Amino acid sequence: MTRGPVDATTTDAWKALTELRGGFEPDLRSWFADDPGRASRFTFEAADLFVDLSKDLITDDLLAALLALAEQVGLESRRDAMLAGEHINVTEDRAVLHTALRLPASASLVVDGTDVVPAVHETLAKMYAFADRVRSGEWKGVTGERIRTVVNIGIGGSDLGPVMAYEALEPFRHPEIECRFISNIDPTDAGQKLKGLDPATTLFVVSSKSFSTLETLTNARLARTWLLDALGDDVDSAEAVKKHFVAVSTALDKVADFGIDPENAFGFWDWVGGRYSVDSAIGTALAIAIGPERFAEFLGGFHAIDEHFAKTPLAQNVPALMGLLNVWYVNFLDAQTHAVLPYSQLLHRFPAYLQQLTMESNGKSVRWDGTAVTTDTGEVFWGEPGTNGQHAFYQLIHQGTRVIPADFIAFANPAYPLADASDGQSIDVHELFLANFFAQTQALAFGKTDEQVRAEGTPEHIVDARVFSGNRPTTSIMAPALTPSVLGQLIALYEHITFTQGVVWGIDSFDQWGVELGKQLAVQISPAVSGDMSTARQQDTSTQSLIAYYREKRQ
Ligand code: F6P
C-alpha cells in the first residue's frame, strides 16, 4: 500500500533548516582555513566515484538537519518500497523497477507475484545474441550484405540515453559499425541522418516504449519508405523490412502491426520509465556498438550504485546526500537552476540526458496523493562540457547574482592521451585540461577579494568589476576513467539523486502527464495547418494568426 507523502515543510528538520538559513553566511574561505579536515570529512566514495562535497555550502549542522529531514520524510522506506517493486508510481499504478534491469542473474525479485529477474536476463540474452550477429556480420541485409550502419529511431528516453552513451563510449565502439539517431519529427533530422546511407547495409532499430509516439512512428514510416524505394522493385518488401527493421517496445502487438517480425522485437516492461530505460533493450543500438561484454559492464556500474544507495547509511550515501543538498539549494537558497559541467568531451550529451531524467521526473506541482506541493520543486538542469563552457556562460556562474550549484565531473585518465610537443617540451594536454577543472571549483569557492585585485595594480575604478565573491557551490565528481561501468555509475547516481528530491517533495517522480497536453493539441491543430478552415477558426486568435502566416509564406 502506498502511503501519503509527509509534508516536509511541517517537519522539525525543516524548521531547523529554516533557522539555519536565517543566520546563514557561507564563508568557504574561513571554513577551509579553520578546519583542515573539511575536505576529507565531506568527501565520499560510491563504487568508482570519488565525490567531494566540501566546496558545497554545507556545514556539519546543516548536514545533520538534512539527514534528519531524510529520516522524517521517510526516504529510506520509500527507497525500499521502490526497490521491492511497490507501486510507487501512483498516478500510473505501476512499480518503478529500473533497478531490476541491472540485477545479476542470480538475484530474485518478485513483483506482483512474478520473479522479474529471469525475464530481464532472457531479454538481455536475446539482445546480446542479436548484437553479436550484427557485429560479426552474420546478420545480413536483404541483399546479403553485412550491416554497417545502425539507425536508432526514438525520442525522449528512447533516444537520449542511447545517443548519450554512444557518444560517451566512443572509444569502445565497433570500428566498422556506425550508429545514427533520428528523433525529431522535423524532417531535417531524418533527411540528414539518412543522407549518404546505403540501404543494403543499414539496420533500423525502432525504439518506443509505447510504440505510439507520433515522432517515432512517423520517422519509422519515413525510413521504411526510404529503404524500400532505395532497394527497388527487385527486392521483396516484407523480407526487406524483416532484415532491416527491429523494434524495442513494451507493446509488441503494435510492433507486429507495423510489419516488424515479432522475432526481431525486444521487449521490456511497464515498470521501466522511458527516461530510466537506457539499460533495457532500449540500449540495443548501444549494445551493437560496444558489444555485449561492455554492455554488461555498463549494467554492472548501475548495479554498484544501486547497491550503494540501497545499503549505505544516509550519512555516507552519495546520491542521498547530493539529493538532500539540492533540496537545500532549491528550497532554502532559492537556486533555480543546476549546472552539470563534465570535463570530458565524450560526455557532451550528458547534460541533455539529465534534463529529461531530472526535469521530467521532478517538474511537478502536485504530490503523489493528489494534493498541491507545499514548496518549490525541480530545477532547470543545464550544462556543456568544460572547457567550452568556461568561454561561454561561466561568467554568470562566477559573478552573476544567482546561486547556481554546479556539478563538475572529471576523469583521471583521458580517452585520448595526447601530448603537445611543439615547443620542445612535452605537455600532457589532459593535465592542462584537468588544471582547468581544479581551478574552476577553486575560483568559484574562494573567489578573489578586493585586496587581492588591488595588489595586482588594478586601477581603482575597475576593482569591483574584478572581484569574485566566491562561495559559489560546486560538487566535484571524479573517477579513474570513463569506462562503461563508470558511465552506468554516473547515470544511476543521478537517478537516485532525482528520486531523493522527489521523496522530500512528496511527488511521483515517475509519471509525466505534463507532456500530454501539447501532444493532444498538435493532433487537433494539424488539420488547420494543412488548410482546414473550420479547425483553424476554432483556435485562439494568436494561433490563428500564426497558422495564417505559415500558410501565406509556405511555398
Ligand atoms: O515525452 C514523453 C515521453 O513519454 C517520455 O517519457 C518518453 O521517454 C518519450 O515520450 C518517448 O516515448 P516512447 O518510448 O513511448 O516512444
Side-chain angles (χ1 to χ4, degrees):
M1 256 314 269
T2 303
R3 294 160 297 279
V6 173
D7 178 353
T9 65
T10 64
T11 61
D12 289 344
W14 197 272
K15 277 187 214 111
L17 286 163
T18 309
E19 271 162 33
L20 285 168
R21 172 66 185 102
F24 193 63
E25 284 181 17
D27 186 357
L28 284 166
R29 277 176 174 251
S30 317
W31 290 353
F32 272 87
D34 301 344
D35 177 6
R38 180 176 173 86
S40 60
R41 204 167 63 257
F42 290 123
T43 297
F44 303 88
E45 290 188 54
D48 294 320
L49 307 179
F50 182 83
V51 181
D52 179 0
L53 306 180
S54 66
K55 295 198 195 84
D56 275 288
L57 301 184
I58 186 176
T59 62
D60 294 301
D61 289 350
L62 188 52
L63 184 58
L66 287 170
L67 291 169
L69 178 66
E71 200 210 310
Q72 289 165 24
V73 298
L75 173 63
E76 286 174 302
S77 68
R78 192 81 181 156
R79 171 199 65 193
D80 295 345
M82 173 175 75
L83 298 176
E86 279 186 39
H87 286 208
I88 66 160
N89 177 351
V90 177
T91 66
E92 296 177 309
D93 191 18
R94 286 177 185 166
V96 174
L97 274 178
H98 41 280
T99 50
L101 297 169
R102 47 259 193 166
L103 282 173
S106 54
S108 154
L109 179 63
V110 177
V111 178
D112 302 330
T114 311
D115 185 355
V116 298
V117 178
V120 164
H121 281 270
E122 256 165 52
T123 303
L124 276 177
K126 185 176 171 190
M127 178 177 85
Y128 288 166
F130 173 70
D132 273 336
R133 290 179 71 196
V134 176
R135 287 168 66 81
S136 69
E138 187 195 327
W139 181 280
K140 303 264 191 281
V142 69
T143 62
E145 289 190 62
R146 66 168 295 168
I147 298 301
R148 301 208 175 275
T149 311
V150 175
V151 181
N152 185 77
I153 301 178
I155 196 164
S158 300
D159 167 74
L160 288 162
V163 73
M164 178 277 287
Y166 177 75
E167 293 294 312
L169 300 177
E170 181 271 337
F172 299 91
R173 288 182 205 158
H174 189 295
E176 285 163 16
I177 300 176
E178 183 199 0
C179 292
R180 297 186 183 186
F181 297 84
I182 299 176
S183 54
N184 203 332
I185 199 167
D186 178 348
T188 308
D189 201 13
Q192 287 183 329
K193 303 286 171 53
L194 295 175
K195 207 189 281 181
L197 290 187
D198 175 358
T201 60
T202 299
L203 174 77
F204 293 96
V205 180
V206 185
S207 298
S208 175
K209 179 177 170 182
S210 59
F211 223 77
S212 59
T213 302
L214 178 70
E215 290 89 337
T216 300
L217 292 192
T218 305
N219 281 322
R221 284 192 296 268
L222 283 179
R224 186 173 54 188
T225 305
W226 171 86
L227 180 92
L228 297 178
D229 286 354
L231 286 172
D233 292 339
D234 297 344
V235 164
D236 176 70
S237 40
E239 197 55 20
V241 171
K242 194 169 169 188
K243 294 285 167 51
H244 292 268
F245 276 84
V246 299
V248 184
S249 185
T250 57
L252 296 178
D253 49 335
K254 292 186 183 145
V255 169
D257 292 346
F258 185 86
I260 295 176
D261 186 346
E263 271 303 297
N264 300 336
F266 305 94
F268 61 114
W269 304 272
D270 70 0
W271 38 258
V272 181
R275 53 195 174 273
Y276 298 86
S277 66
V278 62
D279 45 347
S280 71
I282 288 290
T284 295
L286 178 67
I288 294 170
I290 66 171
E293 208 176 312
R294 296 301 194 181
F295 197 88
E297 288 170 20
F298 179 54
L299 297 184
F302 281 92
H303 182 61
I305 295 296
D306 295 342
E307 288 283 285
H308 171 92
F309 185 53
K311 296 182 179 155
T312 309
L314 293 186
Q316 284 89 41
N317 192 311
V318 176
L321 290 171
M322 289 179 71
L324 291 167
L325 260 176
N326 287 351
V327 168
W328 168 244
Y329 291 133
V330 171
N331 298 124
F332 295 90
L333 299 188
D334 207 20
Q336 297 182 357
T337 80
H338 192 112
V340 179
L341 308 168
Y343 277 64
S344 164
Q345 191 58 31
L346 293 169
L347 283 181
H348 71 108
R349 293 294 289 162
F350 194 56
Y353 171 78
L354 290 185
Q355 285 184 328
Q356 188 199 15
L357 174 65
T358 60
M359 292 159 73
E360 200 165 78
S361 295
N362 284 343
K364 311 279 166 67
S365 305
V366 170
R367 299 189 297 164
W368 75 67
D369 64 351
T371 59
V373 295
T374 53
T375 187
D376 277 330
T377 64
E379 316 96 296
V380 176
F381 272 74
W382 60 284
E384 282 286 327
T387 59
N388 294 1
Q390 290 176 203
H391 297 272
F393 52 77
Y394 277 34
Q395 165 68 38
L396 186 141
I397 307 181
H398 281 286
Q399 288 190 312
T401 55
R402 294 169 195 278
V403 182
I404 302 176
D407 298 347
F408 281 70
I409 303 171
F411 304 96
N413 292 286
Y416 290 90
L418 300 179
D420 174 7
S422 49
D423 279 343
Q425 74 190 95
S426 179
I427 297 171
D428 181 333
V429 180
H430 187 63
E431 291 190 349
L432 270 183
F433 184 40
L434 284 190
N436 278 275
F437 168 81
F438 297 124
Q440 287 297 326
T441 60
Q442 195 178 60
L444 288 162
F446 306 118
K448 193 172 184 182
T449 62
D450 50 356
E451 290 93 48
Q452 287 173 309
V453 174
R454 281 196 191 93
E456 290 172 345
T458 306
E460 194 54 35
H461 69 285
I462 56 168
V463 165
D464 285 349
R466 298 184 62 173
V467 166
F468 290 69
S469 66
N471 296 318
R472 310 220 164 204
T474 63
T475 295
S476 298
I477 302 172
M478 296 195 75
L482 182 52
T483 59
S485 169
V486 165
L487 182 64
Q489 292 175 39
L490 282 171
I491 299 171
L493 170 68
Y494 281 92
E495 286 176 350
H496 300 318
I497 291 171
T498 304
F499 174 79
T500 299
Q501 291 177 243
V503 173
V504 174
W505 292 325
I507 57 182
D508 180 347
S509 298
F510 301 101
D511 62 14
Q512 58 284 317
W513 298 106
V515 297
E516 292 304 319
L517 178 59
K519 286 191 206 172
Q520 284 164 10
L521 291 181
V523 173
Q524 280 170 27
I525 290 174
S526 178
V529 181
S530 308
D532 180 279
M533 287 316 292
S534 77
T535 312
R537 278 191 294 272
Q538 288 161 24
Q539 311 307 318
D540 63 88
T541 51
S542 164
T543 307
Q544 282 188 41
S545 135
L546 291 167
I547 293 174
Y549 175 87
Y550 160 73
R551 295 211 43 89
E552 189 193 323
K553 298 293 176 193
R554 175 70 191 259
Q555 292 164 351

